[in-house]
Amino acid sequence: MTSRPTMADVARHAGVSLKTVSRVVNQEPHVSAPVQQRVQAAISALGFRRNEAASRLARRATMLTLGLIMENISNEFYSRLAKAVEAAAAEHEALVVFGSYEERPERERMLVESMYARGVDSLIIVPSAADHGWIGEHGGLTAVFVDRVPPGLEQADVVLLDDVRGGRIATEHLLARGHRRIGLISDDEAFSSVHDRACGYRAALREAGVPVDESLVVREVFDPWRAGQEVTRLLSLADPPTAFFATNNRAAIGILQALRERPERPAYVGFDDFALADVFNPGVTVVRYDVTRLGRSAVDLLLDRSDTPRRVEVPVELVARGSGELPPP
Amino acid sequence: MTSRPTMADVARHAGVSLKTVSRVVNQEPHVSAPVQQRVQAAISALGFRRNEAASRLARRATMLTLGLIMENISNEFYSRLAKAVEAAAAEHEALVVFGSYEERPERERMLVESMYARGVDSLIIVPSAADHGWIGEHGGLTAVFVDRVPPGLEQADVVLLDDVRGGRIATEHLLARGHRRIGLISDDEAFSSVHDRACGYRAALREAGVPVDESLVVREVFDPWRAGQEVTRLLSLADPPTAFFATNNRAAIGILQALRERPERPAYVGFDDFALADVFNPGVTVVRYDVTRLGRSAVDLLLDRSDTPRRVEVPVELVARGSGELPPP
């Protein structure tokens, strides 16, 4: 049986890219007259017949706009994620519309609805800690969740970091340098990512036979200023920590700032790499991951629909730069 | 035959705008309780039934989406600009679709055309150094240019920083501390912003009676690595600079990195503030400006059309944090 010729066959025959064939078939601009003629000749020679449904889909794909909803585009983690999503989307000729909800779940919902109302029904969401059951009410809406599991949605596609391992390797790294009193500067543990990083921290301590001292664990640190305050407070304890692990890069800023003012030199490991991490002296040891992979996986899941929910886990690694290798005093 | 009542009928009956009816029907915020009741009464009186598909279409048509085209969303200057544009757009219930062209003018043009093809015809562009005459070919397209004057467009609306003054105050600051050999680490002077900052540098030197030594001026430094290389090279000259001024925050990263390895302590002033500037020791002295004002001004110009081209200039100021106050050796 001879199969019907495809656009790829036409492209090969005409010696042009698949994209060029698609442009000619869909009567899009940016194809020169001679190339158009060559493609048309190949179409005639092979007896290629445009499949209307497939073509419509292809066209829609070329006009696709993805939505990206996150906390705050100006935070380095989010701007790097946005870049990664944009790059992956561009390979599908898709554009990206973005929105920041700034820790306000009602604004997150408003952004989803606002995008949906504009016909943007393929969304990548870094979810807030609020219940997301309402997403199901929007027929035809496709969402992939990044970095955190959305509360209240059992059947969601998610792209997560290996957060438990991240918390674990950060803590093990400090334990291996002899630290036993390790402070944890944590965010909101209602976020699965933060929760899992803290779990990794506890697991590593437990396995090393070091009891978790709850007086060294600080939760709900949302901004750099507060992180600095808490580090200063912990360093003033009678039996202070000799090392810190922080669950995000916002905390890192405040902690580094606070340590500038202190005589102690506690070790420090952060979660999330940042552009200036190796410009500090000592360089900042961090748990790092491939943000490009995070963004690309989300776009891949979004464009390759499935009826069963999927979970992609992006690996993490520790990058030693100096701050995490400082010994206990 | 009686046609079905439309939203416009409801609006007339209730004595409110179509947008208000749309807001009530779509359960959007910003409608007072009395007005809501009036609209609901009109809906009941006329027997208006919301047509889901039509309603979605109508919403799509009336909802504004702005395009934001820039070099690279993951650079801190651009991510902060994106946040500012998003916040200003949100006040008009507008969303923002973004695109990064990564120093490739042909991708900049492709992004404009891709947004235009999707009906996004209100654009905020941080232009490349290429000719932008082609923008005029897109009827109905409205563009406001930010940070740089678009080459080849005489009649454009622009929102710029006071770049000449920025270069001038940075250089004057170093001159006032006794520096006479001040290195300039500059970007592509085909950008009006970079050109003007370098002009300010030259003007300040001239007015102080210090001849411009072209061997201390480095142009076309596009990445941190190169900036670091050039600083290292200049410091190895027989008569090296005792201070540096860099025209953007990308250069700052490389310069700080290079200085970590050097015995000299040259003074340093950068252009563009960044989140970690005061975490360094010494803190990084920069020329700063209100990014929110930059983004808001662009959105304001975009939504308040005019036939005569306008130019908004956002002021700059010097923030002394330590690195720019180091004395000559």
Side-chain angles (χ1 to χ4, degrees):
Chain A
M1 165 186 140
T2 314
S3 63
R4 287 181 53 182
T6 64
M7 281 219 274
D9 298 322
V10 174
R12 263 190 301 276
H13 195 272
V16 300
S17 72
L18 188 56
K19 195 158 151 189
T20 301
V21 176
S22 155
R23 280 187 174 139
V24 172
V25 168
N26 292 306
Q27 301 174 311
E28 288 176 26
H30 307 305
V31 184
S32 69
V35 169
Q36 243 179 65
Q37 281 158 19
R38 215 154 77 219
V39 172
Q40 290 295 359
I43 286 173
S44 307
L46 298 174
F48 170 77
R49 293 259 307 272
R50 182 185 183 191
N51 174 331
E52 272 301 326
S55 149
R56 253 201 317 278
L57 266 175
R59 251 183 90 78
R60 229 203 92 174
T62 66
M63 293 296 284
L64 190 62
T65 301
L66 309 181
L68 173 62
I69 295 175
M70 65 215 139
E71 249 182 65
N72 184 344
I73 183 83
S74 72
N75 174 291
E76 188 169 333
F77 167 70
Y78 293 107
S79 69
R80 288 167 69 201
L81 177 65
K83 187 73 193 62
V85 167
E86 185 201 355
E91 289 173 21
H92 301 275
E93 297 183 42
L95 290 181
V96 182
V97 53
F98 76 94
S100 309
Y101 59 83
E102 309 250 28
E103 293 164 30
R104 285 177 294 153
E106 75 281 4
R107 179 152 167 84
E108 179 194 14
R109 182 166 180 169
M110 203 272 276
L111 283 166
V112 169
E113 287 172 351
S114 184
M115 290 186 184
Y116 183 69
R118 282 169 173 83
V120 179
D121 50 16
S122 297
L123 303 182
I124 293 172
I125 304 176
V126 182
S128 73
D131 190 283
H132 284 67
W134 54 269
I135 289 230
E137 297 162 19
H138 297 79
L141 181 70
T142 306
V144 171
F145 296 86
V146 174
D147 189 50
R148 307 159 180 172
V149 175
L153 272 187
E154 305 279 300
Q155 299 291 306
D157 282 339
V158 290
V159 180
L160 305 174
L161 298 174
D162 191 347
D163 290 301
V164 175
R165 182 154 185 279
R168 180 191 289 272
I169 58 177
T171 311
E172 284 173 353
H173 190 77
L174 294 166
L175 286 164
R177 266 101 203 137
H179 294 280
R180 289 296 171 271
R181 294 190 62 67
I182 302 173
L184 173 67
I185 306 297
S186 183
D187 197 326
D188 185 345
E189 292 194 16
F191 295 131
S192 63
S193 54
V194 178
H195 174 266
D196 288 359
R197 291 168 200 177
C199 278
Y201 160 86
R202 288 167 194 278
L205 288 178
R206 217 168 28 238
E207 283 161 30
V210 176
V212 176
D213 181 345
E214 292 298 338
S215 74
L216 303 187
V217 174
V218 190
R219 288 188 192 79
E220 319 241 323
V221 175
F222 304 124
D223 61 77
W225 180 83
R226 174 84 197 289
Q229 292 285 104
E230 291 297 333
V231 160
T232 303
R233 184 179 65 76
L234 291 181
L235 287 176
S236 311
L237 292 177
D239 190 7
T242 62
F244 290 94
F245 167 50
T247 57
N248 71 47
N249 70 8
R250 250 169 318 189
I253 298 178
I255 292 172
L256 293 170
Q257 213 152 13
L259 291 182
R260 237 184 81 173
E261 316 287 321
R262 302 284 310 188
E264 304 92 342
R265 302 293 281 158
Y268 173 71
V269 178
F271 205 107
D272 299 323
D273 204 4
F274 54 100
L276 290 163
D278 61 353
V279 183
F280 283 93
N281 194 2
V284 182
T285 297
V286 297
V287 175
R288 176 171 75 177
Y289 44 85
D290 184 351
V291 184
T292 303
R293 196 155 152 188
L294 207 60
R296 175 172 306 278
S297 301
V299 172
D300 285 351
L301 290 190
L302 201 55
L303 298 185
D304 169 34
R305 291 308 302 154
S306 150
D307 286 337
T308 48
R310 293 157 298 174
R311 177 190 173 109
V312 172
E313 208 165 70
V314 172
V316 298
E317 61 176 346
L318 190 125
V319 187
R321 293 202 180 99
S323 75
E325 294 73 57
L326 294 170
Chain B
M1 167 187 140
T2 314
S3 63
R4 289 180 52 182
T6 64
M7 281 219 272
D9 297 328
V10 174
R12 264 190 300 275
H13 196 273
V16 300
S17 72
L18 188 56
K19 194 157 164 191
T20 300
V21 176
S22 154
R23 279 183 175 146
V24 171
V25 168
N26 294 304
Q27 300 174 310
E28 286 173 27
H30 309 305
V31 184
S32 69
V35 169
Q36 240 179 66
Q37 282 159 19
R38 216 154 76 220
V39 172
Q40 290 295 0
I43 286 173
S44 306
L46 298 174
F48 170 76
R49 292 257 308 274
R50 182 187 182 188
N51 174 331
E52 272 300 327
S55 149
R56 233 182 116 179
L57 265 177
R59 266 174 74 85
R60 254 178 95 167
T62 61
M63 288 172 115
L64 190 61
T65 301
L66 309 182
L68 173 63
I69 295 174
M70 65 216 139
E71 248 183 66
N72 185 343
I73 183 85
S74 73
N75 174 292
E76 189 169 332
F77 167 70
Y78 293 108
S79 69
R80 290 167 68 201
L81 177 65
K83 186 74 194 60
V85 166
E86 185 201 356
E91 288 173 20
H92 301 275
E93 297 182 41
L95 289 180
V96 182
V97 53
F98 75 94
S100 309
Y101 58 83
E102 309 248 27
E103 294 165 29
R104 284 178 294 151
E106 74 282 4
R107 179 153 166 82
E108 179 194 15
R109 182 166 181 169
M110 203 272 275
L111 283 166
V112 169
E113 285 171 352
S114 184
M115 290 186 184
Y116 185 68
R118 282 169 174 82
V120 179
D121 50 15
S122 297
L123 303 182
I124 293 171
I125 304 176
V126 182
S128 73
D131 189 282
H132 283 67
W134 54 269
I135 288 230
E137 298 162 18
H138 297 79
L141 181 70
T142 307
V144 171
F145 296 86
V146 174
D147 189 50
R148 307 160 180 172
V149 175
L153 271 188
E154 304 280 300
Q155 299 291 308
D157 282 338
V158 290
V159 180
L160 305 174
L161 298 174
D162 191 347
D163 290 301
V164 175
R165 182 155 186 277
R168 180 190 288 272
I169 59 179
T171 311
E172 285 173 353
H173 190 76
L174 294 166
L175 286 165
R177 266 98 204 140
H179 294 280
R180 289 296 172 271
R181 294 190 61 69
I182 302 172
L184 173 68
I185 306 297
S186 182
D187 197 325
D188 185 345
E189 293 194 14
F191 295 131
S192 63
S193 55
V194 178
H195 174 267
D196 288 358
R197 291 168 200 177
C199 279
Y201 159 86
R202 288 167 194 277
L205 287 178
R206 219 170 24 241
E207 282 161 31
V210 176
V212 177
D213 181 346
E214 292 298 337
S215 74
L216 302 187
V217 174
V218 190
R219 290 187 191 80
E220 319 241 322
V221 175
F222 304 125
D223 61 77
W225 180 83
R226 174 84 198 290
Q229 292 286 104
E230 291 296 333
V231 160
T232 303
R233 184 179 65 76
L234 291 181
L235 287 176
S236 310
L237 293 177
D239 190 7
T242 62
F244 290 95
F245 166 51
T247 57
N248 71 48
N249 71 9
R250 250 169 318 188
I253 298 178
I255 292 172
L256 294 170
Q257 213 152 13
L259 292 183
R260 236 184 81 173
E261 316 287 322
R262 301 286 309 189
E264 303 93 342
R265 303 293 280 156
Y268 174 70
V269 178
F271 205 106
D272 299 323
D273 204 4
F274 54 100
L276 290 163
D278 61 352
V279 182
F280 283 92
N281 194 2
V284 183
T285 297
V286 297
V287 175
R288 176 171 76 177
Y289 44 86
D290 184 351
V291 184
T292 303
R293 196 156 152 188
L294 207 60
R296 174 171 306 277
S297 301
V299 172
D300 285 351
L301 290 190
L302 202 55
L303 298 185
D304 169 34
R305 292 308 301 154
S306 149
D307 286 336
T308 47
R310 293 157 299 174
R311 177 190 174 110
V312 172
E313 208 164 70
V314 172
V316 297
E317 62 177 345
L318 191 126
V319 188
R321 293 203 180 99
S323 74
E325 293 74 56
L326 294 171

